[in-house]
Amino acid sequence: MTDGSPPELPASSLDQLGWQHRAVRAPQLLSGQTVSRVAVEHRGAYELLDDTGDAIGALDGAMRRAARTPFDYPTVGDWVVRTLEARHDRRAAITSVLDRSSLLCRRAAGPHARPQLVAANADVLAVVTTPASAGDAAPAETAGPATTSGGVGHRIEWYLTAAFSGGARPVIVVNKADTVSGAEYQATVDALRRRLGAAAAEVPILATSALDGRGLDSLGALAEGGATVALSGPSGVGKSSLVNRLAGADVVPVAPLSPDGRGRHTTVRRQLVPVGGPDGGTFVDTPGLQDLIPWSGELGVGNQAGRSDAASGLAQAFPEIAERARHCRFADCTHTVEPDCAVTAAVAAGELAAQRLSTYLELVSDMAVDRFGERSSPR
Ligand SMILES: Nc1nc2c(ncn2[C@@H]2O[C@H](COP(=O)(O)OP(=O)(O)OP(=O)(O)O)[C@@H](O)[C@H]2O)c(=O)[nH]1
Ligand SMILES: [Mg+2]
Ligand SMILES: [Zn+2]
């Protein structure tokens, strides 16, 4: 457990930070410049890691003046070019942000639709849950529209869509496996798989325990070769505990033991944590979220499969719906009231779970914004 004073991070080589793993080309550096990775974002300043150790950076004037949208600013996980020499305010000048290979982005809380960048250049999004919170997601066979349970189970499709949309691979991590029997754990996994329908085949599910250490090898392996794994999920599921176990030190604060351990919001900032070792690899710890509504606008990232955007993210998170939607009469079918809708027809024929469609429709409604940038009213 942490004593409240995190130790200094050791200097990492760029490769340990994932440099050789990045998808973008190396920039042309001028003399006096270096490449760094953003570890922590503060108001107007950034904690940077590179092979010189660490540094504090701030945007240089030209970059600040040119920045128009939240996407133009560096975020945790970004690769930036900075001056080696600090300015008079003892901060290095950040002169550019390198193209992102992925971007996890959510709609910030509040009535207006604003993007909040969660992590850049993450290869994997680990959606962390527990048997307790995933369990209440298990829909009964005859369940109607999804109910709000508060657990990540209910919102797991939201996380998967955000990951796919942003070009990251989602993995579900069921932590606190030590709190249930093997049979109960298996029931949790089975319920998750049923719930995820055709997407289950694309999303590995790992059992971990930050307490007894099980599954940590598999989780750590996701970052092998310099990959970046962002952890997200509700408060209290053990994201920070897992990061500390993987880093082998109390790098980020963890909630003191409590009977339920839920809803404490111990982590208040996003932080990139190198896990060291010859292979390197980094994890991004994030504050617990009540909700992760995927950003539905442009993200400006692409991956090997082509463009990553909200539409392709939804199609990957709901492949059986996307497949059937190609046969709807209208190209812009909402799969609600239209005639000749292949999706509602599949539900009527018992080929597609009604629960799957209602979850999809709820997510689409959550992601919808009208052209004034405000949330459109729910269907
Ligand atoms: N039994 C058990 N307890 C765990 C495990 N992982 C974490 N905990 C406990 O759960 C509580 C919450 O852990 P944190 O790591 O702070 O959770 P978090 O997901 O980072 O929470 P936020 O920072 O609020 O989002 C702490 O009391 C941990 O000791 C686990 O695998 N098993
Ligand atoms: Mg935490
Ligand atoms: Zn349709």
Side-chain angles (χ1 to χ4, degrees):
M1 296 293 112
T2 177
D3 63 359
S5 55
E8 293 281 302
L9 288 176
S12 317
S13 76
L14 285 186
D15 280 351
Q16 282 177 322
L17 290 168
W19 178 242
Q20 84 286 20
H21 198 271
R22 83 205 183 282
V24 299
R25 283 193 323 151
Q28 288 288 339
L29 292 180
L30 304 174
S31 76
Q33 290 185 330
T34 188
V35 168
S36 302
R37 199 158 190 205
V38 176
V40 180
E41 196 181 323
H42 299 282
R43 229 171 231 289
Y46 302 87
E47 291 180 31
L48 306 174
L49 295 175
D50 52 44
D51 44 15
T52 72
D54 51 11
I56 301 288
L59 300 194
D60 81 343
M63 211 190 143
R64 210 175 45 239
R65 281 188 297 278
R68 293 277 174 272
T69 77
F71 298 100
D72 297 329
Y73 291 87
T75 195
V76 172
D78 262 323
W79 292 102
V80 298
V81 176
R82 70 164 175 102
T83 55
L84 276 165
E85 195 126 323
R87 308 182 306 193
H88 60 276
D89 61 359
R90 317 246 290 261
R91 291 169 175 179
I94 296 173
T95 53
S96 65
V97 181
L98 303 191
D99 284 350
R100 295 166 175 142
S101 59
S102 80
L103 182 60
L104 296 167
C105 185
R106 65 186 283 248
R107 178 209 300 278
H112 293 278
R114 279 182 302 107
Q116 188 195 34
L117 281 57
V118 176
N121 302 315
D123 301 282
V124 175
L125 174 67
V127 186
V128 186
T129 182
T130 64
S133 42
D136 59 7
E141 294 300 312
T142 55
T147 52
T148 30
S149 66
V152 72
H154 171 61
R155 293 283 176 177
I156 218 129
E157 298 85 352
W158 278 236
Y159 287 84
L160 301 190
T161 301
F164 285 129
S165 300
R169 224 156 22 90
V171 169
I172 297 172
V173 174
V174 184
N175 189 40
K176 306 200 184 184
D178 57 277
T179 58
V180 292
S181 69
E184 285 169 316
Y185 175 77
Q186 197 50 49
T188 299
V189 171
D190 292 345
L192 275 171
R193 286 199 191 290
R194 268 200 308 281
R195 166 159 194 124
L196 294 180
E202 301 304 318
V203 185
I205 300 180
L206 300 184
T208 62
S209 167
L211 200 71
D212 69 20
R214 86 182 77 171
L216 289 174
D217 286 352
S218 315
L219 184 56
L222 296 174
E224 251 169 34
T228 299
V229 181
L231 290 93
S232 190
S235 185
V237 294
K239 299 178 294 298
S240 302
S241 304
L242 289 168
V243 168
N244 284 343
R245 284 294 299 250
L246 291 160
D250 291 341
V251 182
V252 289
V254 159
L257 277 175
S258 69
D260 60 2
R262 291 176 80 162
R264 287 167 160 273
H265 296 286
T266 304
T267 300
V268 294
R269 64 183 200 178
R270 291 167 290 127
Q271 181 167 352
L272 180 103
V273 178
V275 292
D279 272 344
T282 56
F283 283 80
V284 178
D285 188 24
T286 65
L289 293 175
Q290 285 238 298
D291 243 344
L292 187 145
I293 299 178
W295 182 249
S296 56
E298 281 290 311
L299 291 171
V301 292
N303 59 19
Q304 300 91 322
R307 248 196 117 52
S308 304
D309 57 21
S312 74
L314 270 168
Q316 284 177 274
F318 295 88
E320 68 274 58
I321 293 181
E323 168 54 34
R324 289 188 170 90
R326 293 171 33 213
H327 305 292
C328 294
R329 186 203 296 182
F330 302 108
D332 61 352
C333 185
T334 63
H335 321 311
T336 52
V337 297
E338 291 86 347
D340 294 334
C341 168
V343 178
T344 51
V347 173
E351 294 161 13
L352 177 67
Q355 167 77 37
R356 247 328 241 169
L357 178 56
S358 60
T359 301
Y360 173 85
L361 294 176
E362 193 186 347
L363 172 53
V364 167
S365 157
D366 266 4
M367 290 170 68
V369 269
D370 68 23
R371 63 199 176 88
F372 301 107
E374 305 209 356
R375 287 204 50 180
S376 55
S377 49
R379 268 166 219 288

